[in-house]
C-alpha cells in the first residue's frame, strides 16, 4: 500500500473518497428527513469541517442556512484552564433549529464547552453532525446525532483535517502509521 509523508510523519490510506461520499449522502438523507418543513441553520466549525460542511450542505434539499465560525481558546481568569469562544457567530439562534457541523469528535472537550454556550441562546433544537468520532478517546461524552464514521483512536488527516497545516486538500482520509 502506498504511504504518504506529511512533514515528518507517514500515513496510509484509510477511508476512500467513495466511502466518504456514501456516508455524507446517508447523513444528508437523515437530515433531510428529520428537518422536512423546517429551516435548519448549520453552524460549521472552521477550519477542519469546511469540506465536510460544503459536501453535506450541497446534499441538503430542505430550506437551510449555513454559517461558519472559528473556535478560539484562551486562558480564562479562573484556574479551570482554557475557555472556548466563538468567532464569527453573528446569526440569531433564538428559536432556530441549529445543527453543529464538526470534522471530528475526539476527546469531546471542544463541544462539551461550546454546546452549553449555544444553549444560552435558546435555539428551538440543537443537534450535532460530525464526520468522524473516536469513541476510545472520549473524555467528555457528546451526543452525536448525525455521524459519518466511527474510527479508532489514531490520528487522521485529509478531507479538511490537517497535520500541522498540511493535508486538508486530500480527497481521502489517511491514518497515521
Ligand atoms: P476534541 O475537543 O473533541 O478533543 O477535539 C476536536 C478537535 O481536535 C477537532 O475538531 C480537530 O480539529 C482536532 N482533532 C482531533 N483528532 C484529530 C485527528 O485525528 N486528526 C486531526 N487532523 N485533527 C484532530
Amino acid at each position: 500500500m502506498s504511504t504518504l509523508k506529511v512533514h515528518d510523519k507517514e500515513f496510509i490510506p484509510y477511508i476512500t473518497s467513495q466511502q466518504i461520499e456514501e456516508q455524507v449522502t446517508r447523513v444528508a438523507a437523515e437530515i433531510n428527513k428529520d428537518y422536512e418543513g423546517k429551516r435548519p441553520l448549520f453552524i460549521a466549525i472552521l477550519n477542519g469541517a469546511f469540506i465536510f460542511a460544503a459536501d453535506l450542505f450541497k446534499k441538503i434539499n430542505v430550506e437551510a442556512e449555513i454559517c461558519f465560525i472559528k473556535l478560539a481558546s484562551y486562558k480564562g481568569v479562573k484556574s479551570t484552564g482554557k475557555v472556548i469562544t466563538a468567532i464569527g457567530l453573528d446569526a440569531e439562534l433564538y428559536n432556530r433549529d441549529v445543527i453543529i457541523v464538526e470534522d471530528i469528535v475526539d476527546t469531546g472537550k471542544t463541544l462539551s464547552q461550546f454546546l452549553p454556550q449555544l444553549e444560552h441562546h435558546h435555539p428551538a433544537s440543537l443537534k450535532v453532525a460530525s464526520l468522524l468520532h473516536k469513541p476510545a478517546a472520549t473524555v467528555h461524552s457528546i451526543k452525536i446525532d448525525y455521524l459519518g464514521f466511527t474510527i479508532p483512536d489514531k490520528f487522521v488527516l485529509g478531507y479538511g483535517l490537517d497535520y500541522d497545516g498540511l493535508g486538508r486538500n486530500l480527497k481521502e482520509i489517511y491514518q497515521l502509521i
Side-chain angles (χ1 to χ4, degrees):
M1 204 186 302
S2 60
T3 63
L4 173 77
K5 191 157 190 232
V6 179
H7 293 302
D8 56 329
K9 301 227 185 300
E10 298 264 0
F11 294 83
I12 48 165
Y14 178 50
I15 305 175
T16 65
S17 54
Q18 193 193 327
Q19 289 170 317
I20 296 171
E21 152 97 32
E22 283 167 12
Q23 294 312 308
V24 173
T25 302
R26 175 187 54 78
V27 167
E30 289 172 18
I31 293 174
N32 286 330
K33 184 164 162 277
D34 292 353
Y35 289 81
E36 213 182 311
K38 298 185 175 171
R39 189 193 291 172
L41 169 64
F42 290 75
I43 301 180
I45 302 180
L46 295 172
N47 293 326
F50 79 110
I51 292 181
F52 172 49
D55 283 353
L56 180 68
F57 200 62
K58 281 188 284 184
K59 293 176 188 288
I60 296 301
N61 56 28
V62 298
E63 268 191 7
E65 293 172 50
I66 188 165
C67 69
F68 293 82
I69 62 158
K70 196 148 187 162
L71 295 180
S73 60
Y74 63 94
K75 255 220 162 348
V77 285
K78 292 186 194 145
S79 56
T80 43
K82 301 263 176 117
V83 177
I84 280 182
T85 173
I87 300 168
L89 186 56
D90 38 26
E92 176 66 67
L93 305 188
Y94 177 73
N95 218 16
R96 295 298 307 268
D97 291 303
V98 173
I99 304 174
I100 300 300
V101 184
E102 253 289 33
D103 51 355
I104 181 165
V105 176
D106 182 24
T107 65
K109 185 165 185 259
T110 310
L111 288 185
S112 75
Q113 289 195 22
F114 184 50
L115 293 176
Q117 292 183 23
L118 293 179
E119 294 281 11
H120 284 146
H121 296 263
H122 301 291
S125 65
L126 180 58
K127 304 275 182 187
V128 173
S130 183
L131 179 68
L132 303 167
H133 181 215
K134 290 180 184 170
T138 302
V139 177
H140 306 268
S141 182
I142 298 293
K143 183 169 182 280
I144 303 173
D145 303 281
Y146 304 100
L147 175 65
F149 300 88
T150 298
I151 62 168
D153 188 9
K154 285 192 176 174
F155 189 83
V156 289
L157 95 159
Y159 195 70
L161 291 108
D162 75 314
Y163 168 47
D164 203 8
L166 296 181
R168 293 193 198 277
N169 51 328
L170 295 164
K171 290 182 181 59
E172 309 79 23
I173 292 174
Y174 287 73
Q175 187 182 59
L176 183 66
I177 295 179

